[in-house]
Amino acid sequence: MSLTIYRKAHFNAAHRLFRKEWSDEKNLEVFGKCSNPKYHGHNYDLEVGITGELDPETGFLINLDIVKQIIEQDIEEAFDHKNLNLEVPEFASLNPTVENIAIVIYNKLRLKIPEQYDITVKLFETARNFVVYTG
Amino acid sequence: MSLTIYRKAHFNAAHRLFRKEWSDEKNLEVFGKCSNPKYHGHNYDLEVGITGELDPETGFLINLDIVKQIIEQDIEEAFDHKNLNLEVPEFASLNPTVENIAIVIYNKLRLKIPEQYDITVKLFETARNFVVYTG
Amino acid sequence: MSLTIYRKAHFNAAHRLFRKEWSDEKNLEVFGKCSNPKYHGHNYDLEVGITGELDPETGFLINLDIVKQIIEQDIEEAFDHKNLNLEVPEFASLNPTVENIAIVIYNKLRLKIPEQYDITVKLFETARNFVVYTG
Amino acid sequence: MSLTIYRKAHFNAAHRLFRKEWSDEKNLEVFGKCSNPKYHGHNYDLEVGITGELDPETGFLINLDIVKQIIEQDIEEAFDHKNLNLEVPEFASLNPTVENIAIVIYNKLRLKIPEQYDITVKLFETARNFVVYTG
Amino acid sequence: MSLTIYRKAHFNAAHRLFRKEWSDEKNLEVFGKCSNPKYHGHNYDLEVGITGELDPETGFLINLDIVKQIIEQDIEEAFDHKNLNLEVPEFASLNPTVENIAIVIYNKLRLKIPEQYDITVKLFETARNFVVYTG
Amino acid sequence: MSLTIYRKAHFNAAHRLFRKEWSDEKNLEVFGKCSNPKYHGHNYDLEVGITGELDPETGFLINLDIVKQIIEQDIEEAFDHKNLNLEVPEFASLNPTVENIAIVIYNKLRLKIPEQYDITVKLFETARNFVVYTG
């Protein structure tokens, strides 16, 4: 038996894919145009799923307003209209691939969402590319 | 090995979130503007998933027309253009949160869909809030 | 030459279609299940278009944050999680069809958006039914 | 722990549902208008999910450009603007239901995607009907 | 002043683009893979717009149920699950490009929608290619 | 009488809104977080409409493959995975607001699309903000 409630959010950010340890040539070879040193950007669409037991008194799995506030404060304010490489500490030395961004979001939410709930992070980098991470 | 076929449907309904046992103040505190005593409403989008074995003769997991008819008769006719609190018996004393509506839909479908199939109910209350219930 | 900038918004509301002067039978005949006396509801999706001249200094046609605030205060706060028939004064004696709701929204925005701009209101009652009103 | 990356693709094709062993009447009875002997068609939307371990060096689960190329060469070129019954060998004697098409796609991808990755195929025949197959 | 109400519909059909007077080579040169002699197909999404004056008594521009019925009978039943070239008389000698399909739909609706209303036909052949025709 | 055919495209880019002549404080005051000196980014979705007469021989308004190629070469290759401010010459001294980007796209297409056709550019900066420019 499984009940999951989802909340959507979004943020717009600049990034580039690269490893500092590699030359520009090697970064270009591995990451292609995504390694452009002058950055490009995306509208990231986020779906956060919370899995757990229903509270029979309220009929809520969790108060979604609280989830919404955590997402706004910890994810949207931290990432929106930012350069992920330069301005978001988690990516100072971590390549901001859509996979890594999803893992960072999961880890940030895991600190705030009570333990009895499982978390699913679905993150769209474009309408065609997206990831799902469940911890 | 898993094969699931999905069918989308939708219904438009009014509702309010509240517990009869609570005062208006307590309902407002817990459910916010969703507890408005004069009701508000939603376009509910529903995705029903049926999981099971393929029938090698037809190449169908299940005849989707039969699923479509069950959804129309048991869900859409029962809920569409209705006030969920006042006109749908299942919610006479059950708070019509999106979680509870999904569980009610699952239970109604479970009575009609043969036992060898598992059922998934995904219900969107808005484009931003939705639940998945798998029984 | 024409440049139009659009902003999307949304609100969730209950309503019923009916004329007070008509019997329930006549209302049912004309408005069908939309005349349910106990109300039903929708997620209304709104697109507001503002047409005018570009400000060459900013590259903005209009500051969209100001448009967003007007929509939030005058439309979303007025309509969201409300019963349109009972709680929105404009529909006290006006049938809240999607056509009339779009006209009311246009008229409210027309009072706040400077005269040099034309306004377009596109309002979705469902994903399948919508109107466009241009004053 | 689970990380899955998805890539969307699409193809437009004609098909009919029928079994050669059955009469036209029986095909019509079982498959309805989908058995039209002169064919009908669809825009098929495909989401391929690849599940596995993150490569900590690149921050990629898999190089999505390689997945994109496999999908283009093995699925889109093979199916796009084709008559599935007449021109795609896999359906010479297999009924091209959306279930069977998803299984064929999965099997074709399974030959090319390295073993350490799991594959999910989500295939939309229409916006309302779709399947998920995970092998 | 302009008020338009829209209704969405859809049909799935097979077609090929070609001129009988031309060789297969010339058809291939001009129409590319769309001229495949064995056909391909699409999910066509249709938006019909009706422009006119509001009826102040009902608050309706037009009774959308009547528009819905006309679209179902004259467009969906005529085109859905059909081979446009072989089974729809209007395309017996007319190339079923998305442009021509939109014009045929417009002309069929023009016969049924009262003269005081203008008609707009928006037809999607794919999510990426579509036309608008206004007579 | 009007017939318009549309083609969708997309590109992902970084940008910031600012005027070189203004201080960072003034830019922040006018452009808000969009003036972040370290850039942010978007997935831009583009719809190009071409209005004109139907070619009765082909049933095409224009060969959409040619339009698609012009968009790919002149818009997508020029803008995709770029920093609009630093790498796209048109924005060297022009603020890359969504309005100005749409006008630049229109002007670039106007040079390539034959004169007998009118052009419409619809550009989405986010799912909620977009512009339409018709020259």
Side-chain angles (χ1 to χ4, degrees):
Chain A
M1 173 165 164
S2 165
L3 180 63
T4 305
I5 189 155
Y6 294 85
R7 175 75 197 173
K8 289 197 187 179
H10 49 85
F11 54 90
N12 311 319
H15 80 153
R16 69 171 293 208
L17 299 188
F18 82 119
R19 277 181 68 86
K20 289 179 184 170
E21 302 80 356
W22 290 354
S23 65
D24 276 3
E25 290 70 28
K26 172 123 194 221
N27 275 306
L28 184 63
E29 185 194 320
V30 175
F31 299 118
K33 60 186 177 181
C34 296
S35 73
N36 177 2
K38 297 202 184 332
Y39 309 101
H40 65 285
H42 296 289
N43 303 333
Y44 291 92
D45 281 311
L46 172 65
E47 290 178 19
V48 175
I50 309 290
T51 303
E53 296 293 318
L54 197 70
D55 175 342
E57 195 178 33
T58 59
F60 278 172
L61 187 144
I62 192 172
N63 186 329
L64 210 54
D65 276 342
I66 293 173
V67 176
K68 187 181 164 187
Q69 281 173 33
I70 294 172
I71 297 173
E72 281 175 1
Q73 286 167 17
D74 285 38
I75 311 302
E76 292 181 312
E77 285 192 21
F79 292 1
D80 190 36
H81 281 75
K82 295 284 171 61
N83 183 309
L84 297 180
N85 303 76
L86 301 180
E87 298 180 296
V88 177
E90 285 85 353
F91 302 109
S93 61
L94 180 69
N95 196 9
T97 59
V98 64
E99 292 95 330
N100 277 332
I101 303 171
I103 292 169
V104 165
I105 290 172
Y106 177 92
N107 290 339
K108 294 184 79 163
L109 295 175
R110 189 66 284 171
L111 297 175
K112 297 290 183 71
I113 303 288
E115 268 185 29
Q116 75 261 37
Y117 300 108
D118 288 329
I119 301 173
T120 299
V121 168
K122 186 174 191 174
L123 183 67
F124 289 79
E125 190 172 75
T126 70
R128 289 154 296 284
N129 295 352
F130 56 101
V131 297
V132 172
Y133 181 64
T134 60
Chain B
M1 172 165 165
S2 165
L3 181 63
T4 305
I5 190 155
Y6 293 85
R7 174 76 197 172
K8 290 196 187 178
H10 49 85
F11 55 91
N12 311 320
H15 79 152
R16 68 171 293 209
L17 300 187
F18 81 120
R19 278 182 67 87
K20 288 178 185 170
E21 301 81 356
W22 290 354
S23 66
D24 275 4
E25 289 70 29
K26 173 121 194 225
N27 276 305
L28 183 63
E29 185 194 320
V30 175
F31 299 118
K33 60 187 177 181
C34 297
S35 73
N36 178 2
K38 297 201 183 335
Y39 308 102
H40 65 285
H42 296 291
N43 303 332
Y44 291 92
D45 281 311
L46 172 65
E47 290 178 21
V48 174
I50 309 288
T51 302
E53 296 292 318
L54 197 71
D55 174 343
E57 195 177 33
T58 58
F60 278 171
L61 186 144
I62 192 172
N63 187 327
L64 210 55
D65 276 342
I66 294 173
V67 176
K68 187 182 165 186
Q69 280 172 34
I70 294 171
I71 296 172
E72 281 175 1
Q73 286 167 17
D74 285 39
I75 311 302
E76 292 181 311
E77 285 192 21
F79 292 1
D80 190 37
H81 282 74
K82 294 285 170 60
N83 183 309
L84 298 180
N85 303 76
L86 301 180
E87 298 181 296
V88 178
E90 286 85 353
F91 301 110
S93 61
L94 181 69
N95 195 11
T97 59
V98 65
E99 292 94 330
N100 276 332
I101 303 171
I103 292 170
V104 165
I105 290 172
Y106 177 92
N107 290 339
K108 293 185 81 164
L109 295 174
R110 189 66 283 172
L111 297 175
K112 297 290 182 70
I113 303 288
E115 270 186 28
Q116 76 262 35
Y117 300 108
D118 288 330
I119 300 173
T120 300
V121 168
K122 186 174 191 175
L123 183 66
F124 289 78
E125 190 171 75
T126 70
R128 290 155 297 285
N129 296 351
F130 55 101
V131 297
V132 172
Y133 181 64
T134 61
Chain C
M1 174 166 163
S2 166
L3 181 63
T4 305
I5 191 154
Y6 293 85
R7 174 76 196 172
K8 289 197 188 180
H10 49 84
F11 54 92
N12 310 320
H15 80 151
R16 68 172 294 210
L17 299 188
F18 82 120
R19 279 181 66 87
K20 289 179 185 170
E21 302 81 356
W22 291 354
S23 66
D24 274 5
E25 290 70 27
K26 174 122 194 222
N27 275 305
L28 184 63
E29 184 195 320
V30 174
F31 299 118
K33 61 186 177 182
C34 297
S35 72
N36 178 2
K38 295 201 185 336
Y39 308 101
H40 65 287
H42 297 289
N43 302 333
Y44 290 92
D45 281 311
L46 172 65
E47 290 178 20
V48 174
I50 309 290
T51 304
E53 298 291 318
L54 197 72
D55 174 342
E57 196 178 33
T58 58
F60 278 172
L61 187 144
I62 193 172
N63 187 327
L64 210 55
D65 276 343
I66 294 173
V67 175
K68 188 182 165 186
Q69 281 173 33
I70 293 172
I71 296 172
E72 281 175 3
Q73 288 167 15
D74 285 39
I75 311 301
E76 292 181 311
E77 286 191 21
F79 293 1
D80 190 36
H81 282 73
K82 294 286 169 60
N83 183 309
L84 297 180
N85 303 77
L86 301 180
E87 297 180 298
V88 177
E90 286 84 354
F91 301 110
S93 60
L94 181 69
N95 195 10
T97 59
V98 65
E99 292 95 327
N100 276 332
I101 303 171
I103 292 170
V104 164
I105 290 172
Y106 177 93
N107 290 340
K108 293 184 81 164
L109 295 174
R110 189 66 283 174
L111 297 174
K112 297 290 183 71
I113 303 289
E115 269 185 29
Q116 75 262 34
Y117 299 108
D118 289 330
I119 300 172
T120 299
V121 168
K122 186 174 190 174
L123 183 67
F124 290 78
E125 190 172 76
T126 71
R128 290 156 296 286
N129 295 352
F130 55 101
V131 297
V132 173
Y133 181 64
T134 61
Chain D
M1 171 165 166
S2 166
L3 180 63
T4 305
I5 190 156
Y6 294 85
R7 174 75 196 172
K8 290 196 188 180
H10 48 85
F11 54 91
N12 311 320
H15 79 152
R16 68 172 294 209
L17 300 188
F18 80 118
R19 279 182 67 88
K20 288 179 185 170
E21 302 80 356
W22 290 355
S23 65
D24 275 3
E25 289 71 27
K26 173 120 196 224
N27 276 306
L28 183 63
E29 185 194 320
V30 174
F31 298 118
K33 60 187 177 180
C34 297
S35 72
N36 178 1
K38 296 202 185 331
Y39 308 102
H40 65 284
H42 296 290
N43 302 332
Y44 291 92
D45 281 311
L46 172 65
E47 290 178 20
V48 175
I50 309 289
T51 302
E53 296 292 317
L54 197 71
D55 175 342
E57 196 178 33
T58 59
F60 278 171
L61 186 145
I62 192 172
N63 187 327
L64 210 54
D65 276 342
I66 294 173
V67 176
K68 187 181 164 186
Q69 281 173 32
I70 294 171
I71 296 172
E72 281 175 1
Q73 287 167 17
D74 286 38
I75 311 301
E76 291 181 311
E77 285 191 23
F79 292 1
D80 190 37
H81 282 75
K82 294 285 170 60
N83 183 309
L84 297 180
N85 303 77
L86 301 180
E87 298 181 296
V88 178
E90 286 84 353
F91 301 109
S93 61
L94 181 69
N95 196 9
T97 59
V98 65
E99 291 94 331
N100 276 332
I101 303 171
I103 292 169
V104 165
I105 290 171
Y106 177 92
N107 290 339
K108 294 185 79 163
L109 295 174
R110 189 66 284 173
L111 297 175
K112 298 288 183 71
I113 303 289
E115 268 185 30
Q116 74 261 36
Y117 299 108
D118 289 328
I119 301 173
T120 300
V121 168
K122 186 174 190 175
L123 183 66
F124 289 79
E125 190 171 75
T126 70
R128 289 154 296 285
N129 296 351
F130 56 100
V131 297
V132 172
Y133 181 64
T134 60
Chain E
M1 173 166 165
S2 166
L3 180 63
T4 305
I5 190 155
Y6 293 84
R7 175 76 197 171
K8 289 197 188 180
H10 48 85
F11 55 91
N12 311 319
H15 80 152
R16 70 172 292 211
L17 299 188
F18 82 120
R19 278 182 67 88
K20 289 178 184 170
E21 301 82 355
W22 291 354
S23 66
D24 274 3
E25 290 72 25
K26 173 123 193 221
N27 275 306
L28 184 62
E29 184 194 322
V30 175
F31 298 118
K33 61 187 176 181
C34 297
S35 73
N36 178 0
K38 296 203 185 333
Y39 308 102
H40 65 285
H42 296 290
N43 302 334
Y44 290 93
D45 280 311
L46 172 65
E47 290 177 20
V48 174
I50 309 289
T51 303
E53 297 291 319
L54 197 71
D55 175 342
E57 195 177 32
T58 58
F60 278 172
L61 188 145
I62 193 172
N63 187 327
L64 210 55
D65 276 342
I66 294 174
V67 176
K68 188 182 165 187
Q69 282 174 32
I70 294 172
I71 295 172
E72 281 176 1
Q73 288 167 16
D74 285 39
I75 311 302
E76 292 182 311
E77 286 192 20
F79 293 0
D80 190 37
H81 282 72
K82 294 286 169 60
N83 183 310
L84 298 181
N85 302 77
L86 301 180
E87 297 181 297
V88 177
E90 286 84 354
F91 301 110
S93 60
L94 181 69
N95 195 10
T97 59
V98 65
E99 293 95 328
N100 276 332
I101 303 171
I103 293 170
V104 164
I105 290 171
Y106 177 92
N107 290 339
K108 293 184 80 163
L109 294 175
R110 189 66 282 174
L111 297 175
K112 296 289 182 71
I113 303 289
E115 267 184 32
Q116 74 262 35
Y117 299 108
D118 289 330
I119 300 172
T120 299
V121 168
K122 186 174 191 174
L123 183 66
F124 289 79
E125 190 172 76
T126 70
R128 291 155 294 286
N129 295 351
F130 56 101
V131 297
V132 173
Y133 182 63
T134 60
Chain F
M1 172 163 165
S2 165
L3 181 63
T4 305
I5 191 156
Y6 293 84
R7 175 76 196 171
K8 289 196 187 179
H10 48 85
F11 55 91
N12 311 320
H15 80 152
R16 68 172 293 210
L17 300 188
F18 82 118
R19 278 181 68 87
K20 289 179 184 168
E21 302 82 354
W22 290 354
S23 66
D24 275 4
E25 290 71 27
K26 173 121 194 223
N27 275 305
L28 184 63
E29 184 194 322
V30 174
F31 299 118
K33 59 187 177 181
C34 297
S35 73
N36 178 2
K38 296 201 185 333
Y39 308 102
H40 65 285
H42 296 290
N43 303 332
Y44 290 93
D45 282 310
L46 172 65
E47 290 177 20
V48 175
I50 309 289
T51 303
E53 297 291 318
L54 197 71
D55 175 343
E57 196 177 33
T58 58
F60 278 171
L61 187 145
I62 193 172
N63 187 326
L64 210 54
D65 276 342
I66 295 174
V67 176
K68 187 181 165 187
Q69 281 173 33
I70 293 172
I71 296 172
E72 281 176 2
Q73 288 168 16
D74 285 40
I75 311 302
E76 291 182 312
E77 286 191 22
F79 293 0
D80 190 38
H81 281 74
K82 295 285 170 61
N83 183 311
L84 297 180
N85 303 77
L86 301 180
E87 297 180 297
V88 177
E90 287 84 354
F91 302 109
S93 61
L94 180 69
N95 196 9
T97 58
V98 65
E99 292 95 329
N100 276 332
I101 303 171
I103 293 170
V104 164
I105 289 172
Y106 177 93
N107 290 339
K108 293 184 80 164
L109 295 175
R110 189 66 283 174
L111 296 174
K112 296 290 182 70
I113 303 289
E115 268 185 30
Q116 75 262 34
Y117 299 108
D118 289 330
I119 300 173
T120 299
V121 168
K122 186 174 190 174
L123 183 67
F124 290 78
E125 190 171 76
T126 71
R128 291 155 296 285
N129 295 350
F130 56 101
V131 297
V132 173
Y133 182 63
T134 60

